[in-house]
Amino acid sequence: QNTITNDMRLFAREEDRAALYTGLLTNKGKVMFDAIIAKPKLASQTDDDMEYWVDIHEQDSTTFLKHMRKYSMRKNIKLEDISHVIKSFAIQTLVGVDSDPEGHYFSPLQESVEMFESEEFPGSLETDVCAFVDPRTASNGVRVLCAEESLEAE
């Protein structure tokens, strides 16, 4: 919470909030780089045990992980690079998106993705697709974070 420019409590306050745009800060308050933090629809998540995906430029990932490990030592936080599994995609249109608010799940796509049984929580359904209206501006279209094979046509 203290290392970013946005408020993570937005996820709790807004039920359909899927993502937020933020700057990641140094310990002196300078912006290191920007990122999009997304909340995928995973099984059995609670307020105390929530998984977030951070979408940052590939060249910033090592610095980001090092920085976050440094400031999360006394917190119950697990950091893992999942860029080999989850990829970032942008869907842009000439007029942007007006069906859902910025940073909220893009319902036409999110509601149509395949749900599957969780390996970690048998009997619970989850998806590896997080589709949301770009939190910076709806004019940027839709961002999709997912496993590449989830986008393959049937």
Side-chain angles (χ1 to χ4, degrees):
Q1 181 68 38
N2 295 328
T3 60
I4 63 173
T5 60
N6 212 325
D7 187 355
M8 291 290 289
R9 293 176 290 201
L10 284 173
F11 288 112
R13 280 189 237 138
E14 300 175 18
E15 185 179 329
D16 283 336
R17 167 68 62 174
L20 56 86
Y21 178 66
T22 190
L24 290 130
L25 305 172
T26 66
N27 60 345
K28 294 183 180 183
K30 294 180 181 179
V31 176
M32 293 172 58
F33 38 79
D34 62 345
I36 294 174
I37 300 175
K39 182 180 79 172
K41 292 191 173 192
L42 301 176
S44 301
Q45 291 201 66
T46 65
D47 289 339
D48 295 328
D49 185 24
M50 187 65 62
E51 181 171 321
Y52 297 97
W53 295 346
V54 180
D55 184 9
I56 59 173
H57 193 279
E58 186 176 16
Q59 72 186 29
D60 296 329
S61 63
T62 303
T63 305
F64 166 74
L65 285 170
K66 183 179 175 183
H67 178 74
M68 292 306 294
R69 284 190 177 106
K70 182 176 170 182
Y71 292 101
S72 65
M73 292 176 79
R74 287 180 234 117
K75 297 183 168 90
N76 186 19
I77 296 174
K78 177 183 174 190
L79 297 168
E80 181 180 356
D81 181 357
I82 58 171
S83 61
H84 61 286
V85 178
I86 301 297
K87 304 295 181 194
S88 177
F89 302 91
I91 302 171
Q92 296 178 321
T93 67
L94 294 176
V95 293
V97 177
D98 62 4
S99 61
D100 295 291
E102 294 159 349
H104 286 72
Y105 292 105
F106 181 61
S107 49
L109 181 56
Q110 190 68 47
E111 292 171 3
S112 68
V113 298
E114 180 182 350
M115 300 293 283
F116 52 85
E117 186 170 1
S118 169
E119 292 177 17
E120 192 174 357
F121 301 100
S124 297
L125 296 178
E126 64 183 10
T127 182
D128 61 356
V129 177
C130 188
F132 51 90
V133 179
D134 195 303
R136 296 168 290 192
T137 174
S139 298
N140 285 349
V142 175
R143 307 268 308 169
V144 181
L145 304 179
C146 67
E148 252 181 291
E149 57 270 9
S150 296
L151 291 181
E152 293 177 1
E154 294 181 14

